[in-house]
Amino acid sequence: MKYFQRQMLLLLPGVTLLSLLVYLSDGPKRLFGRPDSTAGEPAAACRPQVNIGFLKTHKCASTTIQNILFRFGLRHNLTFVLPLTGNYLGRREPFNAELVRDLPWHALGYNILAVHNRWDHAQVARVMPANTTYVTALRDPAAAFQSMYAYLEQDRVEPLSAFLEREPIPEERFFGVLGRNQMLWDLGLPADRLTDFAAVRRLVADTERRFRLVMIAERLDESLVLLKHALCWRIEDVVGLRLNSRTAAAHSALPRRARVRLKRWLAADYLLYSHFLALFERRVAEFGAARMRREVAELRAVNERALERCDMESSERATMQPDFATFSERVYGFQPRTHSEWCDSLARPELQFVDLLRKRQLRMAQGQGLLFNSTT
C-alpha cells in the first residue's frame, strides 16, 4: 500500500501538468470556437465562423448584412440555403426544412442561411450544421414600419397619417406578409399571438438564448464590429454599403398624433426591441467605449477606401445598369465605375445576388452529379 501511495504522489504532478496542458490547448477553443460576443480580443486559436444563420428581418439594415454574408460565403466557397426561385423561403408560414429537401443542391450541405423567411428555430436547425452561429437585427419599430410602408408604396394608395387615423387601424398584412409587429412576425410568432405580451416575453427569452448576436439597425457600425468579433472575422470581412435604405425623397414626417398612435399600435414590437436595445447597450459597454470608437473608426475608414477603390456611384446620381438596379426606386442603390468581382459584389442588390448564387450552386451540384431532376 505504501509503495502504491508513493507512486501516486510521484504521478500527481505529471497528471496536474497534463490537465493544465489540456486546459490550455482546449481552453481557447472552448472560449473562442464560438467566439465571445464582446469582451477580449480574439485569441490566436479563434477560428472564423463559416456556419451562420441570419434571420433577415424586414427594413432593419438586413440587406446590408445579407450582402456581407453573401460576399464572405462566395469568397470562401461556402454554400447557401436558397429557394429555387425568388428570395423568400416561405412567406406566410414559418420556415420548414421540407422546403429545401428536394432542391438540386441540398446534398451539398449548407453553411449560410441569409434569405427572408419566417423563423422556426427547430426547423432551421434541421438543415444547418450543429455549430451554426445565429444572428439577426432589429430596428425601432415605428421607423421600420414607416420605411416598409414607403417601400411598398402604400402611401400612393393612402398617406400613412390617414392609415393611422382609421379606427381600428387595419390588421390585414400587406400582401399577406408585411404589417403590424413585423419583427415578431419575422421571428415566427403566430399571427394570433402578435399582441399577446406573455407570448412575446417567451419569444424574447427564446431569441436571447438562441441568437449569438442581435444587432441594432440604428447602431449598424457598432453592430458590425460586434458581428466581426462574434464570428472571429477580419475588419475587411464586414465592409458594406447601406443597401436598400430609403432615399431622402422617400421620407416624410408624421404628425405627432400619428407618431404616438403608431408606437402604441406597435407596442409588442417595442417590447422586443427595447429588450434587445438594452442588451446591445450592455454588450457595447462590456466591449469598451474607447475600443468601440477605435474599431468603428477603422471600419468607416475601410468602407471609405472601398468606395474609392470601386469608384462607387449611388442611384441618386446615376442611371443604374440592370445588374445593379434596385427593386424599388425609393431606396439607395450603388454601382461601381471600376468593375471587379469584389466591387460588383459589394454593390449587387439582393435579387441579383440571390440569382447569381443560385446559378453557382446549380453548377456545383451539376459538377458533383447531383442534378437528378432535369426540370431544375
Side-chain angles (χ1 to χ4, degrees):
M1 176 65 75
K2 290 182 179 179
Y3 173 79
F4 178 75
Q5 290 173 337
R6 285 197 300 272
Q7 293 302 310
M8 288 299 294
L9 288 171
L10 289 171
L11 284 171
L12 276 174
V15 172
T16 303
L17 178 61
L18 179 60
S19 299
L20 178 62
L21 289 172
V22 169
Y23 173 81
L24 290 174
S25 63
D26 190 53
K29 182 178 178 181
R30 287 185 286 107
L31 288 171
F32 297 107
R34 287 179 60 82
D36 185 82
S37 60
T38 55
E41 289 290 347
C46 178
R47 296 180 179 177
Q49 302 298 292
V50 297
N51 299 322
I52 303 151
F54 172 56
L55 169 56
K56 189 177 188 293
T57 44
H58 288 84
K59 309 312 293 179
C60 295
S62 58
T63 302
T64 296
I65 299 165
Q66 179 195 61
N67 180 272
I68 288 169
L69 296 173
F70 279 174
R71 284 185 287 114
F72 182 88
L74 191 60
R75 186 162 63 253
H76 294 281
N77 201 34
L78 304 179
T79 53
F80 300 87
V81 185
L82 299 172
L84 192 60
T85 60
N87 62 324
Y88 275 76
L89 276 165
R91 286 180 177 267
R92 295 170 176 81
E93 299 301 322
F95 180 87
N96 189 303
E98 298 305 317
L99 290 170
V100 299
R101 292 293 187 197
D102 295 329
L103 296 183
W105 49 73
H106 182 69
L108 295 172
Y110 299 115
N111 300 113
I112 295 175
L113 168 61
V115 293
H116 278 302
N117 66 90
R118 287 195 70 205
W119 199 256
D120 183 315
H121 196 82
Q123 290 293 317
V124 170
R126 287 178 61 191
V127 301
M128 295 300 291
N131 66 344
T132 296
T133 298
Y134 294 101
V135 298
T136 190
L138 302 177
R139 181 183 180 184
D140 178 276
F145 188 87
Q146 287 177 263
S147 180
M148 181 172 60
Y149 197 85
Y151 182 77
L152 296 173
E153 300 191 4
Q154 290 299 305
D155 53 344
R156 297 187 189 278
V157 178
E158 180 179 33
L160 180 54
S161 57
F163 174 82
L164 294 170
E165 285 293 333
R166 293 168 69 178
E167 189 61 55
I169 300 174
E171 294 284 342
E172 184 178 357
R173 307 194 79 77
F174 305 117
F175 307 105
V177 178
L178 306 171
R180 187 181 187 185
N181 295 325
Q182 185 64 43
M183 292 183 291
L184 290 168
W185 169 274
D186 289 339
L187 278 161
L189 193 65
D192 62 353
R193 293 287 184 269
L194 288 175
T195 57
D196 180 340
F197 282 80
V200 172
R201 290 186 184 94
R202 289 193 295 271
L203 183 66
V204 166
D206 288 344
T207 302
E208 184 172 346
R209 185 176 70 253
R210 291 165 172 164
F211 284 78
R212 185 69 177 173
L213 176 65
V214 176
M215 292 170 274
I216 300 296
E218 294 87 351
R219 309 275 291 278
L220 185 58
D221 288 340
E222 293 163 288
S223 292
L224 292 177
V225 168
L226 293 181
L227 180 67
K228 164 189 172 259
H229 285 273
L231 299 178
C232 197
W233 286 4
R234 305 168 306 150
I235 195 72
E236 292 80 9
D237 293 325
V238 292
V239 167
L241 302 176
R242 298 298 197 271
L243 297 171
N244 226 31
S245 59
R246 268 188 301 169
T247 61
H251 284 79
S252 59
L254 274 179
R256 182 181 180 280
R257 173 183 165 87
R259 293 198 307 272
V260 170
R261 189 162 166 79
L262 178 58
K263 288 185 176 183
R264 288 176 179 166
W265 191 59
L266 300 174
D269 250 0
Y270 268 105
L271 192 159
L272 170 77
Y273 174 76
S274 298
H275 176 90
F276 285 103
L277 177 60
L279 179 61
F280 184 85
E281 295 284 7
R282 292 199 299 272
R283 298 178 90 158
V284 170
E286 291 169 6
F287 190 87
R291 181 182 174 207
M292 179 59 78
R293 286 194 298 272
R294 185 168 63 250
E295 295 210 20
V296 165
E298 182 184 4
L299 175 60
R300 290 173 178 171
V302 173
N303 276 332
E304 284 297 320
R305 289 198 293 272
L307 289 171
E308 293 173 4
R309 168 183 168 184
C310 298
D311 195 10
M312 203 71 72
E313 57 183 350
S314 76
S315 55
E316 282 197 326
R317 299 180 177 86
T319 301
M320 305 300 284
Q321 301 167 10
D323 285 347
F324 305 103
T326 57
F327 177 76
S328 169
E329 295 180 355
R330 292 185 164 196
V331 297
Y332 280 110
F334 297 88
Q335 64 183 9
R337 292 190 184 95
T338 301
H339 288 283
S340 68
E341 182 178 348
W342 190 85
C343 290
D344 289 356
S345 294
L346 185 64
R348 185 172 285 120
E350 177 182 7
L351 294 177
Q352 291 90 320
F353 217 145
V354 170
D355 193 49
L356 180 148
L357 295 175
R358 188 161 33 229
K359 291 175 180 176
R360 167 183 170 271
Q361 284 188 187
L362 281 169
R363 291 194 299 270
M364 291 171 67
Q366 185 176 27
Q368 295 191 26
L370 302 176
L371 288 186
F372 53 87
N373 187 345
S374 62
T375 64
T376 59

